[in-house]
Amino acid sequence: MALKALDIFKLTPKKNCKDCGFPTCMAFCMKVASGAVEVSKCPHMSDESLAKLSEATAPLMRGIKIGAENSEYELGAETVLFRHEKTLINRNRYAVAFCECMTNEEIDAKLANIKAVNYVRIGEEMKAEMALIEYFENKEGFLNVVNRVKDSNLDLAYILVCEDAAIAKEAVEILKDKKPVVYGATKENYKEMIEVVKADKLALGVKASSLEELYATVELIQAAGYRELILDVTGENIKDTFTNAVQVRRIALKEQDRTFGYPSIVFANKLAQDNANMEVALSSVFTVKYGSIIVIDDIDYAKALPLFALRQNIYTDPQKPMRVEPKIYPINNPDENSPVIVTVDFALTYFIVSGDVERSKVPVWLAIPDAGGYSVLTAWSAGKFGGSSIANFIKESNVGEMTKNRDLIIPGKVAVLKGDIEDCLPGWNVVIGTEESMEIPKFLREYKAKKDEALANA
Amino acid sequence: MAFKMSVQKYSGKISEVEIGTGEKAIKIGGENTLPFYNFDGVAGNTQKVGIEISDVYPEGWTDSFKEMYKEVADCPVKWAKYVEANTKADFICLKLVSADPNGLDKTPEECAQVAKEVAQAVSLPLVIAGCGNHEKDGKLFEKVAQTIDGYNSLFLSATEDNYKAVGAAATMAYSHKVSAESSVDINLAKQLNVLLTQLGVKSENVVMNVGSSAVGYGYEYVASTMDRIRLAAFGQNDKTLQMPIITPVSFESWNVKESIASEEDEPAWGCIEKRGIAMEISTAVSSLVGGSNAVILRHPESIETVKELVSALA
Ligand code: B12
Ligand code: SF4
């Protein structure tokens, strides 16, 4: 990746034959170095050169696949340290921790929580994606948890925490088609652990007591030919863990050292020491800074709502505007008596507002003009969501023919637009809606009740 | 290859700003590394956590606050004393809500009197927040700055619309600090800092509020704006961005559905107070890891957790 054009040039046959479509080998190499063209476009490259190049042009951070079927996820494969430099790619995943010591009731309670916290936010399913199951010394207990979690039939990816290769192997056998992560390779046991994961190319979690040791252990494992790795960056305390998480990612991407070019796992549950608020704090820190799997003690909505929302934001691609198509969206089967309600074409706003309108069960025509893909106040400040643009959209969309109702409900945050819109849209009556979308259901139900009453009296 | 720590040395450094007086005065800024990157250089002063109170009864706040403050919330002086005695906050943010022209529309003189009584009653540093109407805040801050001269308070905020009045009154006529508020954009942040300096405001009297939002509500823009501002301040040694950042997290996090939807409306979501605290904590620590040197929060439990995290990371 850091390969310069000159380094690549040294590996070409230097024939300047133009078969690659470029006038000279050097011109071709400059394109390859910039990532615009694949080396394989030169048909005369020796196998040896190609091998060298593919090594040097391999991504700095590997993408590691874990889990299977509905619960297959890719981790890592990041190319930048900060999202504005390009984008972050594979969102982190949250794992709920189980341990061998748990009773069946305790296991079932956590499973019920995992099952309960499952919702859609802006088109994305939100849930804890993984279960982590920890072994210490009680093999029966451990295998019981593995079986019980598996038998729940929840869509989960698994992490088996077990440094005893023989026992890990038994657990892997139970979860064979789930492609679990096997965690617990150390500098002592890595050879046996590789034997457990090799056949199915399972991801292997690597742990060590310091960054130096982690580095040396990864080198040993790589030398033994295994590269499906996840690195445990959890340290003695919160400070060390943060340092480790940043260092591992930075050494991979900035220093371009592939020894640390793997996804990470952070045990937020252990660092939080049974303090649920601290667990939210730590999980947020490592969602922003370089955790790939974040282990939490349990899941409930209070934890999930901020964490999943934060993750969704951080992993939004800044290169792609989040917009919905400007048009009239019928919601709850509107008819000729239904009001028109306006919002903007920013995807976030659209999903929040349309969700709340649906919850109200009140039929409406949702009008979305071109507002530049901005939130209500941003669009208004940028001059893209004003009286005349809203009025023009209402006219051009012909929504006036879909309904006889002449009430136009606008977001409370732009109440000031009432006069302007009414001036541009004779015959319409602008109704100021609530500031927050969550109050829409109540607002619309009251609106409808009043309307129905007026109709009945008329 | 042998393992080697990756160390990034920067030429730029964030200025150090002191707020308040006496033993409880706080200092923010002074670092030449990204937040908590002690392996790179000097991490500066620890990040500070303030608590929000209001000069009117907090009608719109969720019930747990009304219960918590039931003895004190109708009087800002009592309220300020209460949070000083009972929470771990490093400073108090008094929001002068009553100045709002679309609300009680109290005069700057009336508000200034309240601010003065609060300043006299507590020894924690004070951050004075306006009502959000830029024109009114300009007039308001001129008066308040004069009335509490000597307390070295921070005024939240000067905006593009009112920076002349606010900047001049707070930091030139009287010796306070001013926060420069911009809308989630590195260039706007830079521009307002330049305007303030051109006016004659010393950059060591300025902190920035570069915009905020609750997690899930456009927070990606806040995160990237902070990253870019900090990288420019350190890496490009951009003097016009080397001010500490303060983020009024509670102004946003307690308005979103996750924090305020009632348990009847969202039965599956569980305890409303826990949800609000979690949203506040998550937003606050994300901002701190992004570059904020101080955050303003509402719930004492969030403050406790965030402070604990900061001291663990410092
Ligand atoms: C992210 C952000 C941006 C992003 C854009 C993101 C986007 N796609 O919109 C960027 C960085 C690009 C940006 C730019 C600007 N921004 Co901006 N931005 C924000 C920020 C932080 C969050 C906005 C957001 O995503 N909100 C979440 C969505 C869901 O909210 P919403 O659309 O309002 O919807 C809610 C309600 O309105 C309601 N609702 C929506 N529709 C409807 C409909 C009905 C009928 C009802 C009843 C309710 C309802 O429901 C939703 C949930 O409750 C806010 C500050 C903040 N914390 O809010 C500032 C903010 C909106 N921006 C602001 C400004 C000034 C700007 C700029 C003009 C700055 C400038 N001078 O250049 C530019 C404009 C763009 C341009 N020039 O090209 C100001 C607006 C000031 C004001 N009061 O008018 C704000 C408030 C920041 C501030 N305090 O100064 N911004
Ligand atoms: S095809 Fe290969 S050898 Fe021919 S010009 Fe291109 S790079 Fe050179």
Side-chain angles (χ1 to χ4, degrees), chain B residues 103-133:
Chain B
L104 294 177
D105 200 15
K106 289 265 174 72
T107 63
E109 286 71 21
E110 287 172 291
C111 293
Q113 184 55 32
V114 171
K116 186 173 174 187
E117 285 166 19
V118 170
Q120 286 168 341
V122 295
S123 53
L124 283 179
L126 265 194
V127 170
I128 303 288
C131 64
N133 178 306

Coordinates of all heavy atoms in Angstrom, one line a residue, chain B residues 103-133:
Chain B
G103 N -40.5 33.8 26.0 CA -40.9 33.2 27.3 C -41.2 34.3 28.3 O -42.0 35.2 28.0
L104 N -40.5 34.3 29.4 CA -40.8 35.3 30.5 C -40.3 36.6 30.1 O -40.7 37.6 30.6 CB -40.1 34.8 31.8 CG -40.7 33.5 32.4 CD1 -40.0 33.2 33.7 CD2 -42.2 33.7 32.8
D105 N -39.3 36.7 29.2 CA -38.7 37.9 28.7 C -38.3 38.9 29.8 O -38.5 40.1 29.8 CB -39.8 38.7 27.8 CG -39.1 39.7 26.9 OD1 -37.8 39.6 26.7 OD2 -39.8 40.5 26.3
K106 N -37.6 38.3 30.8 CA -37.0 39.1 31.9 C -36.0 40.0 31.3 O -35.3 39.7 30.4 CB -36.4 38.2 32.9 CG -37.4 37.4 33.7 CD -37.8 38.1 35.0 CE -38.9 37.5 35.8 NZ -38.5 36.2 36.5
T107 N -35.8 41.2 32.0 CA -34.8 42.1 31.5 C -33.4 41.7 31.9 O -33.2 40.9 32.8 CB -35.0 43.5 32.2 OG1 -34.8 43.3 33.6 CG2 -36.4 44.1 31.9
P108 N -32.4 42.2 31.1 CA -31.0 41.8 31.5 C -30.7 42.2 33.0 O -30.0 41.5 33.6 CB -30.2 42.7 30.5 CG -31.1 42.9 29.3 CD -32.5 42.9 29.9
E109 N -31.3 43.3 33.4 CA -31.0 43.7 34.8 C -31.5 42.7 35.8 O -30.8 42.3 36.8 CB -31.7 45.1 35.1 CG -31.0 46.3 34.4 CD -31.2 46.3 32.9 OE1 -32.1 45.7 32.4 OE2 -30.3 46.9 32.3
E110 N -32.8 42.2 35.6 CA -33.3 41.2 36.5 C -32.5 39.9 36.5 O -32.2 39.3 37.5 CB -34.7 40.8 36.0 CG -35.8 41.9 36.3 CD -37.1 41.6 35.6 OE1 -37.2 41.6 34.4 OE2 -38.1 41.3 36.4
C111 N -32.1 39.5 35.3 CA -31.3 38.3 35.2 C -29.9 38.5 35.8 O -29.4 37.6 36.5 CB -31.0 37.9 33.7 SG -32.6 37.4 32.9
A112 N -29.3 39.6 35.6 CA -28.0 39.9 36.2 C -28.0 39.8 37.7 O -27.1 39.4 38.4 CB -27.5 41.3 35.7
Q113 N -29.1 40.3 38.3 CA -29.3 40.3 39.7 C -29.3 38.8 40.2 O -28.6 38.5 41.2 CB -30.6 41.0 40.1 CG -30.9 41.1 41.6 CD -29.7 41.8 42.3 OE1 -29.1 42.7 41.8 NE2 -29.4 41.4 43.6
V114 N -30.0 37.9 39.5 CA -30.0 36.5 39.9 C -28.6 35.9 39.8 O -28.1 35.2 40.7 CB -31.0 35.7 39.0 CG1 -30.8 34.2 39.2 CG2 -32.4 36.2 39.2
A115 N -27.9 36.2 38.7 CA -26.6 35.7 38.4 C -25.7 36.2 39.6 O -24.8 35.4 40.1 CB -26.0 36.2 37.1
K116 N -25.8 37.4 40.0 CA -25.0 37.9 41.1 C -25.2 37.2 42.4 O -24.3 36.8 43.1 CB -25.2 39.4 41.3 CG -24.3 40.1 42.2 CD -24.5 41.6 42.2 CE -23.7 42.2 43.3 NZ -24.0 43.6 43.4
E117 N -26.5 37.0 42.7 CA -26.8 36.3 43.9 C -26.2 34.8 43.9 O -25.7 34.3 44.9 CB -28.3 36.2 44.2 CG -28.8 37.6 44.6 CD -30.3 37.7 44.5 OE1 -31.0 36.6 44.5 OE2 -30.8 38.8 44.5
V118 N -26.3 34.2 42.7 CA -25.8 32.9 42.6 C -24.2 32.9 42.8 O -23.7 32.1 43.5 CB -26.2 32.2 41.3 CG1 -25.4 30.9 41.1 CG2 -27.7 31.9 41.2
A119 N -23.6 33.8 42.1 CA -22.2 33.9 42.2 C -21.7 34.1 43.6 O -20.7 33.6 44.0 CB -21.7 35.1 41.3
Q120 N -22.4 34.9 44.3 CA -22.1 35.2 45.7 C -22.3 34.0 46.6 O -21.6 33.8 47.6 CB -22.9 36.4 46.3 CG -22.4 37.7 45.7 CD -23.3 38.9 46.0 OE1 -24.5 38.7 46.3 NE2 -22.8 40.1 45.9
A121 N -23.2 33.2 46.3 CA -23.6 32.1 47.1 C -22.7 30.8 47.0 O -22.7 30.0 47.9 CB -25.1 31.7 46.9
V122 N -22.1 30.7 45.9 CA -21.3 29.5 45.7 C -19.8 29.8 45.5 O -19.5 30.9 45.1 CB -21.8 28.6 44.5 CG1 -23.2 28.1 44.8 CG2 -21.8 29.4 43.2
S123 N -18.9 28.8 45.6 CA -17.5 29.1 45.3 C -17.1 28.3 44.1 O -16.0 28.5 43.6 CB -16.6 28.8 46.5 OG -16.9 27.5 47.0
L124 N -17.9 27.5 43.5 CA -17.6 26.8 42.3 C -17.6 27.8 41.1 O -18.4 28.8 41.2 CB -18.6 25.7 41.9 CG -18.5 24.4 42.7 CD1 -19.6 23.5 42.2 CD2 -17.2 23.7 42.5
P125 N -16.7 27.6 40.1 CA -16.8 28.5 39.0 C -18.1 28.5 38.3 O -18.8 27.5 38.3 CB -15.7 27.9 38.0 CG -14.9 27.1 38.9 CD -15.7 26.6 40.0
L126 N -18.5 29.6 37.7 CA -19.8 29.7 37.0 C -19.6 29.9 35.5 O -18.8 30.6 35.0 CB -20.5 31.0 37.5 CG -21.5 31.0 38.6 CD1 -22.2 32.3 38.7 CD2 -22.4 29.8 38.5
V127 N -20.5 29.1 34.8 CA -20.6 29.3 33.4 C -22.0 29.9 33.2 O -23.0 29.3 33.7 CB -20.5 28.0 32.6 CG1 -20.9 28.1 31.2 CG2 -19.1 27.5 32.7
I128 N -22.1 31.0 32.5 CA -23.4 31.7 32.3 C -23.9 31.4 30.9 O -23.3 31.8 29.9 CB -23.3 33.2 32.5 CG1 -22.8 33.6 33.9 CG2 -24.7 33.8 32.2 CD1 -23.7 33.3 35.0
A129 N -25.0 30.6 30.8 CA -25.6 30.3 29.5 C -26.8 31.2 29.2 O -27.5 31.6 30.2 CB -26.0 28.9 29.4
G130 N -26.9 31.7 28.0 CA -28.0 32.5 27.6 C -29.3 31.8 27.3 O -29.4 30.6 27.6
C131 N -30.3 32.5 26.7 CA -31.5 31.9 26.4 C -31.6 31.3 25.0 O -32.6 30.7 24.6 CB -32.7 32.9 26.6 SG -32.6 34.3 25.5
G132 N -30.5 31.6 24.2 CA -30.5 31.0 22.9 C -30.9 32.0 21.8 O -30.6 31.8 20.6
N133 N -31.6 33.1 22.2 CA -31.9 34.2 21.3 C -30.7 35.1 21.2 O -30.3 35.8 22.1 CB -33.1 34.9 21.8 CG -33.5 36.1 20.9 OD1 -32.7 36.9 20.5 ND2 -34.8 36.1 20.4

